[in-house]
Each structure stands twice: as structure tokens, then as C-alpha cells.
Amino acid sequence: MADWTCDSNEALHLSMVRAQEDKEALGESESYEDFQPAFTYPIFGEEEKIYGYQDLAIDLKFASGSLVQYLSITHTSKLNAATTVDDVEEILSSAIPPGYMTDEADFLARVEEDAVSFRPSGQLLYSYTRPSPYTIDKGKGKEVANAQPPDSESEDAVVFEVYHATWDTPGFREYHRRMQLFILLYIEGGSYINEEEDTWEFVVLYRKRRTEPHLATYHFAGYSSLYPFYHFPEKVRLRLSQFVILPPYQRAGHGSQLYLAIYNHILSQPSIAELTVEDPAEAFEDLRDKNDLQTLFANEQFMKEAFGEESVSYGGGRVESSSYGGGRVGGVGKGGRSGRGGVGNMMTKGKLGPPVDKGWAEKWRKDLKIAGRQFARLVEMLILSRLSPSDVRAMKAYRLQVKERLYRFNFEILVQLEKEERLEKLEETFRSVKEDYQRILALVR
């Protein structure tokens, strides 16, 4: 059967198709068609194999804004034995909504129509700009790419917008049925959510291209789903459940911008107590840690209270103004004062210790609406960023603080071990955590 077996990840080709005018406005480096999924096992089974064909090609295209779908299945040969041949279209139809198109000419005509008529559903939450790839390709190169984001009215700007929607948003339920496929294809262990649960919220990222002063086309780039839980006594805890950025937009900071849009939205809502994340993948954990750290570094009042105006902490440990291992975290400039709120060699005591002032930390955690374990980790990273490795007393206080949290978090496992083995495991875990903190801190310097 090997000659009649193909890899479903390789057979499935995805494209975000734009209207002709939109295509002509793209830079040479931009490509939004013919990319492949990371996973197909939720659709084609754990082995990610399709049986009964040679040279199988599954072409699934989306109108880049409305996400109207077109499906084409081709092959050079097909087995006659019905028992061993997979019905590709029938299998796919369990994952995509009915109404997909199979005539390419009709589909391309629909793309042209939707480019003019499609508008995002919901409320605009957030926008940001990037230098136009077209401008970069035409010779301004890295100088443009590394410059400050251009003004949204500039001809060199590409605008991205984030919209908030719920099931009650007109037309959004149908739109979600078309875009949810990307959860299966790019999130390991991802699954469709239950539409009967009516409290889901969504934030959707689009690239916007102006065609005339008051007209624009929109192109889907990614989205996240959120679910509220009751938080005593009268608020809700919002859980980030799914988060996906399409491959053509990855590794360009759009995930961070979408996360910041969600976080800023939560900060603006008095009814929301905090943001939590459901079973995050490692890549998302890094994204979350990096952006949460940058948020704290940028908070002038928090940083002033955290590190004070003196290098000696209230707990007796020594916390230097420079970053761990050299260099400066928080952008310390002339006069020793940070442009992001970091403080140089001025003289007061800081609340981060070590050990941290727990009452002070809990107040800030609630104000910033960050989940408990995540905030504790951020505090540990911040201390490490300013901790002198040569200060034995401070390092001991820091080690005890981190181990206390690790012990509480892993209590059910550790309590079953003998004391000596338990201490060894704690020390081993501490060293691993500290090493990972150093890696994450390097991402924000």
C-alpha cells in the first residue's frame, strides 16, 4: 500500500486568495498562497495518512477576508477497491461548513466581490501599523523595517486592526465556522468549541489595505477565543482558550499585538478580574511571558516601587540597577533613570526584595489583572533581572522564595518523596526554572 499512501500534511495546500488589485499591491517578499498545515490528524487520523491515491493534491482556498472556501481534489491515479480508498471530500466535509465552492472561476469572481463588500464583524478594539513590505522591497530595506511604526495615514504604512465579537454579533457565527478550521490545523490538541455555550468571546486580527480615502479591503490574519468564568464575588475571570496566527503572518510580532489587544481590553473592563490561559503551548508561553514582562518594565510606578531608588532591598538582599549578567533591563539612560520606569542608583528601598513583599505584590497583581501563578513567575523573573549573582545573601533569599512557590505548586508529588530526595528535586527544578527565566529575559532586552 505504500505506493498508494500519502502524507495528509503534504497533500493539503492552503491559500488566502486576494482580489487582483490587492495582489498587485503586494511586495515581492509577500506570499499568502500555497502554505501547508502543521497538523491534520484531527481530520485524517493519528497517522496523518490518506490511502488509495497517487500524487494526491487537496487545494483548499479561502477568500482572504470573508473566508469563503473553494475545494479542489486532484490525483494521477486512484485504486478501484472501495474498502481501502479514503473519500477525501467526505472526510474534509466533517471539518468545513457546507457551501464551499468547487468551481474556481466562480470562486475567483466571489473573491473580487467580497474584496469590495466584506467588512469585519464586531467592535474595533485596537490597531497598529507596520512598514509596507512593498516599500521595503523597493529599496528602503532594513532601515524601514527597523524604524518606528509609521503613521496610519502614511503611504508607507500597513494597518492591522483587531475586532471583538460574540455569538450575538450579526453574521459572526457563520464566519467563525469558516475560520475555526485553522484551530485544527495549527494548534496541537486543538478542537472546535461548542456553539451552544453562548458566552464565548472572540478577537479577530485583520490586515487592512486602503483602496480609496474611505474604502478598504480586509484580510484575515488570526484570532483568539475567550471564555468567562465566575470570579467571586461579582466579577468574571476571562480564560484565553485558543490563539492562532496564520503562517504567512507568523514571526513578525502579530501574535504579540493580538495578545496585547486582548490584555488591554481586559484592563478596560471593570467586570473582568483577571486573564488566565488554558493549557498554553511552549511558544505561546514565551509570547505571554515576554509581553507581560514588557508591560511591567514599562509601568513606571510599578518599577519604582519594585526596585525603589536604592540598590539595597527592604529584605536585606542586594538588588542592583543593572540587569542580571550585565546590560540594563528597562532602558536605563543618562542620569541613571529608565525611560521605561527602571531606576538607576538613587536611594530608597524596593518591594521586590528578595524576599518579595507579598501584600504589595498581590495588590499590583489584582490591579494588573494577571493570574496568580503567572504574576509570581513574572516577579521572580524581575528579581533575577536585577539580582547580583555575587551577593550570597540575596541569592539565598531568592532561591528560598522560588522554591517555596515550586513546593506549593508541586505539593502532591513532592510530599510523597523522602526528605533528601524532595530537596534534590526542588534544587533541580529551581536550577531549571532559573535557566529558563534567563532565556526569557534575554527576549526582552
Side-chain angles (χ1 to χ4, degrees):
M1 289 294 295
D3 292 340
W4 297 92
T5 303
C6 67
D7 187 306
S8 54
N9 290 336
E10 296 177 359
L12 181 57
H13 298 260
L14 306 168
S15 294
M16 306 299 290
V17 182
R18 299 182 175 217
Q20 188 60 38
E21 183 180 332
D22 280 317
K23 288 184 180 181
E24 293 171 357
L26 295 176
E28 295 176 3
S29 62
E30 293 185 273
S31 177
Y32 301 97
E33 298 188 26
D34 198 16
F35 55 95
Q36 291 174 298
F39 313 103
T40 52
Y41 65 83
I43 302 172
F44 293 104
E46 289 295 328
E47 294 184 355
E48 297 184 322
K49 301 294 183 184
I50 300 174
Y51 301 96
Y53 303 88
Q54 289 182 342
D55 301 316
L56 177 66
I58 307 167
D59 196 10
L60 182 59
K61 296 181 178 181
F62 298 79
S64 64
S66 68
L67 300 183
V68 168
Q69 298 167 346
Y70 161 82
L71 177 62
S72 170
I73 301 170
T74 61
H75 49 78
T76 57
S77 299
K78 178 181 178 180
L79 279 176
N80 291 325
T83 56
T84 55
V85 175
D86 290 326
D87 188 331
V88 176
E89 186 168 358
E90 182 179 347
I91 294 171
L92 265 177
S93 67
S94 67
I96 61 178
Y100 55 84
M101 306 180 76
T102 55
D103 185 292
E104 188 168 18
D106 290 345
F107 170 72
L108 293 176
R110 178 67 180 272
V111 170
E112 296 291 334
E113 294 172 8
D114 288 357
V116 176
S117 62
F118 173 75
R119 295 292 179 271
S121 301
Q123 174 191 3
L124 176 63
L125 283 186
Y126 181 79
S127 65
Y128 61 97
T129 61
R130 290 293 170 81
S132 167
Y134 183 85
T135 303
I136 294 173
D137 290 343
K138 290 302 179 183
K140 295 185 179 180
K142 293 183 179 179
E143 292 182 6
V144 174
N146 296 329
Q148 289 296 316
D151 183 88
S152 61
E153 299 301 317
S154 167
E155 64 178 14
D156 292 333
V158 174
V159 179
F160 288 83
E161 294 183 343
V162 178
Y163 287 79
H164 176 267
T166 68
W167 292 139
D168 294 329
T169 303
F172 184 78
R173 190 180 294 265
E174 293 74 19
Y175 190 79
H176 177 265
R177 289 171 185 163
R178 295 195 290 272
M179 75 178 183
Q180 66 180 346
L181 178 65
F182 299 115
I183 297 299
L184 301 186
L185 301 181
Y186 292 104
I187 298 180
E188 188 168 10
S191 60
Y192 288 166
I193 64 177
N194 184 0
E195 287 190 14
E196 300 304 314
E197 297 174 336
D198 59 6
T199 55
W200 282 99
E201 300 180 28
F202 305 87
V203 286
V204 187
L205 174 65
Y206 298 91
R207 174 175 170 167
K208 176 181 177 182
R209 189 182 79 84
R210 287 177 299 175
T211 55
E212 295 180 22
H214 302 292
L215 294 176
T217 58
Y218 293 84
H219 309 281
F220 175 83
Y223 83 102
S224 180
S225 60
L226 307 154
Y227 194 85
F229 290 88
Y230 172 69
H231 185 278
F232 181 84
E234 54 186 13
K235 293 188 178 185
V236 296
R237 175 186 293 110
L238 205 59
R239 183 182 69 187
L240 191 155
S241 178
Q242 301 165 321
F243 190 98
V244 63
I245 300 293
L246 294 189
Y249 295 95
Q250 291 176 6
R251 292 175 292 278
H254 298 300
S256 289
Q257 292 293 338
L258 182 58
Y259 177 78
L260 289 173
I262 295 168
Y263 180 67
N264 289 333
H265 170 64
I266 287 170
L267 285 181
S268 71
Q269 301 299 306
S271 62
I272 301 177
E274 65 183 29
L275 172 67
T276 63
V277 178
E278 177 185 358
D279 191 22
E282 289 183 12
F284 184 83
E285 279 193 317
D286 283 356
L287 181 150
R288 181 192 188 192
D289 289 343
K290 180 182 74 172
N291 284 284
D292 286 351
L293 277 172
Q294 288 174 333
T295 294
L296 295 180
F297 281 133
N299 189 312
E300 184 174 351
Q301 185 60 36
F302 174 84
M303 292 295 287
K304 183 177 180 180
E305 293 177 16
F307 293 108
E309 296 172 353
E310 181 186 39
S311 60
V312 178
S313 74
Y314 85 100
R318 191 169 194 78
V319 181
E320 295 183 336
S321 61
S322 61
S323 67
Y324 182 88
R328 294 186 184 275
V329 175
V332 178
K334 293 182 179 179
R337 188 173 296 276
S338 167
R340 291 174 126 189
V343 177
N345 297 321
M346 303 178 71
M347 304 297 292
T348 55
K349 296 180 179 180
K351 296 291 190 178
L352 279 188
V356 66
D357 182 326
K358 293 182 179 179
W360 171 87
E362 179 61 12
K363 176 184 178 300
W364 270 103
R365 185 194 72 77
K366 290 181 178 178
D367 290 345
L368 295 170
K369 302 187 179 183
I370 299 175
R373 177 175 178 268
Q374 175 68 359
F375 193 74
R377 293 177 64 254
L378 295 171
V379 163
E380 291 165 6
M381 291 184 221
L382 286 170
I383 296 173
L384 185 61
S385 75
R386 301 291 180 95
L387 195 60
S388 170
S390 63
D391 189 328
V392 176
R393 182 177 179 182
M395 285 301 300
K396 180 179 180 181
Y398 177 72
R399 185 168 60 251
L400 290 174
Q401 178 177 320
V402 176
K403 284 185 176 181
E404 179 189 4
R405 180 185 66 81
L406 293 173
Y407 182 78
R408 285 187 280 107
F409 185 73
N410 298 286
F411 176 78
E412 292 184 1
I413 297 174
L414 292 172
V415 75
Q416 300 177 44
L417 304 178
E418 296 293 332
K419 181 178 180 180
E420 184 175 344
E421 185 179 3
R422 182 164 63 242
L423 293 176
E424 289 178 359
K425 287 292 184 184
L426 270 176
E427 178 64 22
E428 179 183 329
T429 305
F430 167 75
R431 291 180 182 276
S432 176
V433 166
K434 181 184 171 186
E435 182 178 329
D436 197 51
Y437 285 173
Q438 292 167 327
R439 180 185 62 80
I440 295 167
L441 285 166
L443 299 177
V444 300
R445 291 176 185 169

